[in-house]
Amino acid sequence: MKKAWWKEAVVYQIYPRSFYDSNGDGIGDLRGILQKLDYLKDLGVDVVWLSPVYQSPNDDNGYDISDYRNIMAEFGTLADWEELLAEMHARGIRLVMDLVVNHTSDEHPWFVASRQSQDNPYRDYYVWRPGRDGREPNNWRSFFSGSTWQYDDATGEYYLHLFSKKQADLNWENPKVRGEVYDLMRWWLDKGIDGFRMDVINMISKTPGLPDAPATSDARYQWGGEYFINGPRLLEFLGEMRREVLSQYDILTVGETPGVSPQDAVALTNEDDGALSMVFQFEHMDLDADQGGDGSRRSVRRWQLSELKEVMTRWQKDLEGQGWNSIYLTNHDQPRAVSRFGDDGAYRVEAAKLLATFTHLLQGTPYIYQGEEIGMTNVAFISIDDYRDIETVNMYHELVVEQGMDPLALLPVIHAKSRDNARTPFQWDDSAQAGFTTGTPWIKVNPNYPAINARQALADPNSIFYYYQKLIRLRRENPVMVYGSYDLLLDDHPEIYAFTRTLDSDRLLVILNFGQGTPEFALPTDISYGAAALLISNYAVAPTEDIRHLTLRPYEARVYRLG
Ligand code: ISL
Ligand code: CA
């Protein structure tokens, strides 16, 4: 397997609005991040992925961009950004920027021109269609509720928006649009950034004709994913992007690709002609929902360990030597990992460490989302008025206000799944507003900040923070953690997730007790070894313990080197 710095790296995602506010306006900003770089250096991460900081009217917190070459005023200036890049590089931290080019804001000058007239030179930058029998051009449903089409009075046509109506889809069929995107990518790369995370990049090619999605219920709008996810020209467009831009730079590229299979991921990331370093897949994000796609945040279902094993093992094996995995359990769109896959009650600390062990021991590049390293949890606002996320707010409006659903039935789903779970302010200390701002935060802080915060974590040698620090260091020192092949053990065990990682003669054994029980671990007899040395664990472990038979404690995680 080819070596690459981005395979060896650990990435930390910053959602700038919620990270640290330097000027008391309640909104996190670039100078806030600058003040916290030493914290990240201390943690040991190699790369920061910065969610969008470009100029934006913030209909979707920066994922609606109105100027690709400028910084959102609330976040600072381009000069602040330049300083941030320099200070990161001075600390050996690379910077990956978010690239949001499936759509722009409706306030982007291209769209402002495009809506002027049907013969405007920018008309074809977007997807405009006449109505059909006085209704939308097709029946697709937006990720953020309602139709994917917005009627525009000025020219009497509809434009396509997979997300909010202020996020108009770019028309990638138009070579001029593709050229503009490549230009802006070069503009940032030439400033010295180290890569891009590409927002919903597998939705840029739509099936010609934009056919109706099959009607499956009496709902007015239908999930049309099969007509815009992994569309017919996706690989061609990304191949062009690779030739024109990506191949000229030594960068990390990660595609955000809902609905990809491992085979799609191999096509996108293989070393011969794959355009990207890696992609984010979503199968494990859909395990606790009745439906995937745009529905994953509309229901809660109990997930089974067997399902998690099946998904992760398939991704590990199908990409081995063929492509490269990105490993994550949460991000700014997802619930908090410890609440979702672990335990945010009595075993919060143990569970957070277990999940950290999991993400750092799988084959792939680990991603840490801000606050994950101190075990931040989901929040449960009592009132819908405290939610800020456009997806949550629109869903509530659709289901409760329009369709009359009992709000008490929906709130538990929102508590479990809202994207705002990940967006409450970073908990720095136990002072007012968790030390995030001296003003009023744009979204309420999680009331558990007096107990869960970075100051507490830094003062406690047994904290989740230092456990992450150790894992990151171990990953740097042990190539087997990066490049070793993965083999699942105890396939059918309902509580224990165990696997080995093997690189030449070096082999690690990973034992994870995914629950509050105390199951017995029995090492399969075909695993032969001379000595077993403990590499890391989240409980105290006696060095004399015989690893062939263990009784595990709740959420216990151990990694051994088998000699
Ligand atoms: O439905 C999903 C996966 O099955 C979503 O998580 C989907 O990936 C997500 O809605 C797309 O997210 C990205 O693009 C959005 C933006 O709101 C998100 O914050 C961003 O991560 C539109 O730009
Ligand atoms: Ca601020």
Side-chain angles (χ1 to χ4, degrees):
M1 188 184 300
K2 268 204 210 137
K3 298 203 164 172
W5 66 263
W6 43 263
K7 293 181 179 174
E8 297 170 17
V10 174
V11 184
Y12 187 93
Q13 182 191 352
I14 291 181
Y15 193 68
R17 203 169 192 79
S18 304
F19 192 59
Y20 187 59
D21 174 22
S22 71
N23 63 350
D25 66 355
I27 297 170
D29 45 53
L30 297 181
R31 301 213 73 82
I33 299 171
L34 257 170
Q35 291 180 41
K36 299 296 183 183
L37 288 182
D38 288 332
Y39 170 83
L40 299 179
K41 180 73 188 155
D42 191 17
L43 182 59
V45 295
D46 308 281
V47 177
V48 164
W49 150 28
L50 195 55
S51 273
V53 294
Y54 315 97
Q55 188 179 299
S56 162
N58 281 307
D59 194 50
D60 186 20
N61 286 356
Y63 283 91
D64 49 319
I65 296 170
S66 54
D67 183 350
Y68 286 103
R69 291 178 174 81
N70 218 331
I71 299 293
M72 192 190 304
E74 290 173 330
F75 287 172
T77 63
L78 200 53
D80 294 330
W81 180 87
E82 302 269 6
E83 192 178 334
L84 182 65
L85 178 66
E87 290 296 322
M88 282 188 182
H89 283 172
R91 288 169 179 76
I93 299 173
R94 302 194 209 227
L95 177 60
V96 164
M97 295 288 279
D98 218 310
L99 182 75
V100 188
V101 290
N102 174 69
H103 43 267
T104 73
S105 166
D106 65 339
E107 297 181 33
H108 192 289
W110 300 336
F111 189 79
V112 173
S114 180
R115 78 187 335 170
Q116 302 285 314
S117 65
Q118 295 194 14
D119 56 8
N120 187 284
Y122 286 92
R123 185 67 168 181
D124 210 23
Y125 270 44
Y126 296 87
V127 185
W128 290 96
R129 293 289 184 277
R132 206 179 48 179
D133 311 326
R135 287 189 47 176
E136 296 91 357
N138 72 22
N139 67 353
W140 295 355
R141 180 176 71 216
S142 157
F143 276 90
F144 295 160
S145 300
S147 171
T148 54
W149 296 96
Q150 176 66 29
Y151 182 74
D152 202 49
D153 270 334
T155 54
E157 287 191 329
Y158 293 78
Y159 64 88
L160 179 72
H161 61 90
L162 297 183
F163 293 89
S164 100
K165 61 175 188 286
K166 287 184 67 65
Q167 291 167 300
D169 278 56
L170 283 165
N171 175 20
W172 276 72
E173 305 288 326
N174 181 349
K176 279 194 201 141
V177 166
R178 305 202 297 273
E180 299 266 18
V181 170
Y182 306 151
D183 279 349
L184 75 90
M185 291 176 75
R186 284 187 210 101
W187 193 81
W188 286 100
L189 287 163
D190 291 340
K191 287 187 177 295
I193 67 166
D194 304 288
F196 286 114
R197 174 269 187 187
M198 303 185 184
D199 193 66
V200 291
I201 198 66
N202 65 331
M203 302 191 194
I204 57 178
S205 164
K206 280 82 177 171
T207 299
L210 313 177
D212 268 336
T216 52
S217 67
D218 54 9
R220 176 151 179 193
Y221 304 114
Q222 305 289 334
W223 173 238
E226 64 183 284
Y227 303 111
F228 54 77
I229 286 182
N230 307 323
R233 298 184 69 187
L234 175 64
L235 294 179
E236 176 198 334
F237 292 158
L238 291 181
E240 182 182 79
M241 181 192 285
R242 173 178 143 132
R243 276 196 309 281
E244 296 268 330
V245 185
L246 305 176
S247 59
Q248 321 292 315
Y249 303 85
D250 176 24
I251 52 177
L252 181 165
T253 52
V254 52
E256 189 216 20
T257 53
V260 283
S261 67
Q263 290 65 43
D264 298 324
V266 168
L268 290 164
T269 67
N270 75 82
E271 260 145 29
D272 303 330
D273 64 356
L276 307 176
S277 315
M278 59 192 120
V279 296
F280 292 124
Q281 60 93 6
F282 283 81
E283 288 193 54
H284 59 317
M285 295 291 115
D286 293 341
L287 292 179
D288 60 354
D290 294 335
Q291 40 170 318
D294 67 336
S296 63
R297 278 182 290 267
R298 291 182 164 230
S299 63
V300 199
R301 164 185 172 273
R302 253 187 115 74
W303 61 278
Q304 306 294 327
L305 185 61
S306 56
E307 299 167 326
L308 185 66
K309 286 187 196 179
E310 189 280 320
V311 167
M312 300 311 274
T313 300
R314 187 156 39 76
W315 277 85
Q316 291 285 294
K317 296 317 276 185
D318 288 1
L319 266 59
E320 194 177 297
Q322 308 287 318
W324 189 250
N325 270 290
S326 62
I327 308 291
Y328 74 100
L329 293 176
T330 182
N331 60 40
H332 66 292
D333 293 333
Q334 301 293 336
R336 289 284 174 177
V338 73
S339 299
R340 188 183 204 176
F341 293 106
D343 174 23
D344 58 13
Y347 297 106
R348 183 184 65 90
V349 172
E350 291 79 4
K353 291 176 181 176
L354 171 133
L355 296 174
T357 315
F358 186 50
T359 53
H360 287 74
L361 267 297
L362 288 170
Q363 190 189 67
T365 299
Y367 286 74
I368 304 169
Y369 177 68
Q370 66 182 42
E372 197 177 357
E373 78 282 11
I374 56 168
M376 280 180 62
T377 69
N378 280 353
V379 73
F381 296 130
I382 307 295
S383 167
I384 188 67
D385 298 337
D386 288 332
Y387 284 89
R388 297 285 173 267
D389 175 19
I390 182 171
E391 184 192 59
T392 303
V393 171
N394 286 4
M395 175 179 78
Y396 187 92
H397 188 85
E398 179 193 339
L399 297 180
V400 174
V401 181
E402 288 172 12
Q403 296 174 20
M405 183 177 176
D406 179 358
L408 293 179
L410 187 57
L411 268 178
V413 178
I414 290 175
H415 291 165
K417 294 289 182 70
S418 172
R419 308 196 297 181
D420 280 340
N421 281 308
R423 300 178 181 185
T424 61
F426 189 100
Q427 293 163 207
W428 290 105
D429 58 40
D430 61 3
S431 68
Q433 312 300 357
F436 162 73
T437 179
T438 55
T440 306
W442 68 276
I443 184 172
K444 284 187 172 170
V445 296
N446 190 316
N448 64 20
Y449 72 86
I452 304 173
N453 62 68
R455 179 182 292 160
Q456 181 280 330
L458 292 170
D460 173 6
N462 279 319
S463 69
I464 302 164
F465 179 93
Y466 290 118
Y467 192 89
Y468 268 92
Q469 190 187 55
K470 182 168 179 185
L471 279 167
I472 296 168
R473 180 169 51 73
L474 285 173
R475 207 170 169 279
R476 198 167 286 139
E477 292 164 356
N478 291 280
V480 62
M481 283 174 71
V482 178
Y483 296 108
S485 60
Y486 162 103
D487 288 289
L488 184 67
L489 304 179
L490 309 178
D491 303 26
D492 299 325
H493 200 292
E495 295 165 88
I496 300 174
Y497 192 153
F499 56 93
T500 56
R501 297 288 307 282
T502 310
L503 184 67
D504 305 320
S505 61
D506 198 6
R507 190 163 44 155
L508 302 182
L509 169 65
V510 182
I511 307 170
L512 307 169
N513 175 21
F514 258 88
Q516 299 192 1
T518 53
E520 304 290 323
F521 170 83
L523 187 68
T525 47
D526 58 336
I527 307 271
S528 60
Y529 66 100
L534 189 70
L535 211 60
I536 189 167
S537 65
N538 62 352
Y539 282 85
V541 170
T544 52
E545 217 172 342
D546 181 354
I547 66 158
R548 285 172 299 179
H549 293 281
L550 299 171
T551 303
L552 298 173
R553 290 158 284 189
Y555 290 100
E556 181 158 7
R558 300 187 191 192
V559 182
Y560 287 96
R561 164 166 280 119
L562 302 181

